[in-house]
Amino acid sequence: MKTFFYFFVFLLISIGFSACEENADDYHTEVFVTLQTPDTLQPLKVQGTMTLKNLSNGRRYHTSDFQHTTAQLLLLRGAYSLDVEGTMIIQKRNGTTEVKYFRGSKDYVEIIAHPVRLDTQIIFM
């Protein structure tokens, strides 16, 4: 009977410790989106908006903070569509600068890894 009591106490203690285990589900990830420009143009400054729309729940994530040609966002992992538009100051090979409007999009992007790096082609308007 005494052995059964100790076994029962040991069982309760082990269940108690396993219930206190921290569950570290990681649903968020960081995504870095880089705008690809033709080799003949050197981007000097980007001003625009990048939007990632979650295809499962419809939530949209926006940013206008570009570091050179790369934007960064923290969002839920999943499937997204990508839209980016704005203006870019570019320098041509002959040294002249010009302001150009651009757009870019992707219908389906998987954002699952930690972190995710995406390149997207843009078109100038």
Side-chain angles (χ1 to χ4, degrees):
M1 186 70 176
K2 197 174 194 180
T3 312
F4 180 71
F5 175 74
Y6 287 127
F7 176 74
F8 185 70
V9 170
F10 175 74
L11 184 65
L12 284 177
I13 290 173
S14 62
I15 289 172
F17 280 121
S18 66
C20 294
E21 181 181 331
E22 185 176 328
N23 193 359
D25 291 334
D26 190 9
Y27 298 112
H28 292 86
T29 188
E30 202 166 24
V31 62
F32 297 90
V33 178
T34 302
L35 308 177
Q36 298 296 311
T37 58
D39 293 338
T40 59
L41 305 175
Q42 179 184 2
L44 300 176
K45 184 175 181 178
V46 175
Q47 187 172 11
T49 302
M50 180 185 70
T51 303
L52 285 161
K53 179 183 175 189
N54 189 307
L55 298 177
S56 298
N57 61 17
R59 181 163 181 201
R60 295 175 189 265
Y61 298 86
H62 307 279
T63 187
S64 295
D65 187 21
F66 284 88
Q67 302 298 321
H68 193 56
T69 59
T70 302
Q72 172 186 356
L73 272 171
L74 180 68
L75 44 79
L76 288 171
R77 295 172 14 184
Y80 286 84
S81 65
L82 168 72
D83 289 308
V84 61
E85 63 181 32
T87 58
M88 184 181 294
I89 299 174
I90 55 146
Q91 184 174 16
K92 296 181 178 180
R93 283 197 175 170
N94 62 10
T96 60
T97 60
E98 190 177 329
V99 176
K100 289 192 165 263
Y101 294 95
F102 69 88
R103 283 191 49 88
S105 66
K106 287 188 175 185
D107 292 332
Y108 182 80
V109 177
E110 285 185 3
I111 299 176
I112 297 172
H114 294 283
V116 176
R117 300 195 186 286
L118 299 173
D119 294 331
T120 185
Q121 295 291 328
I122 58 172
I123 56 170
F124 291 106
M125 312 298 259

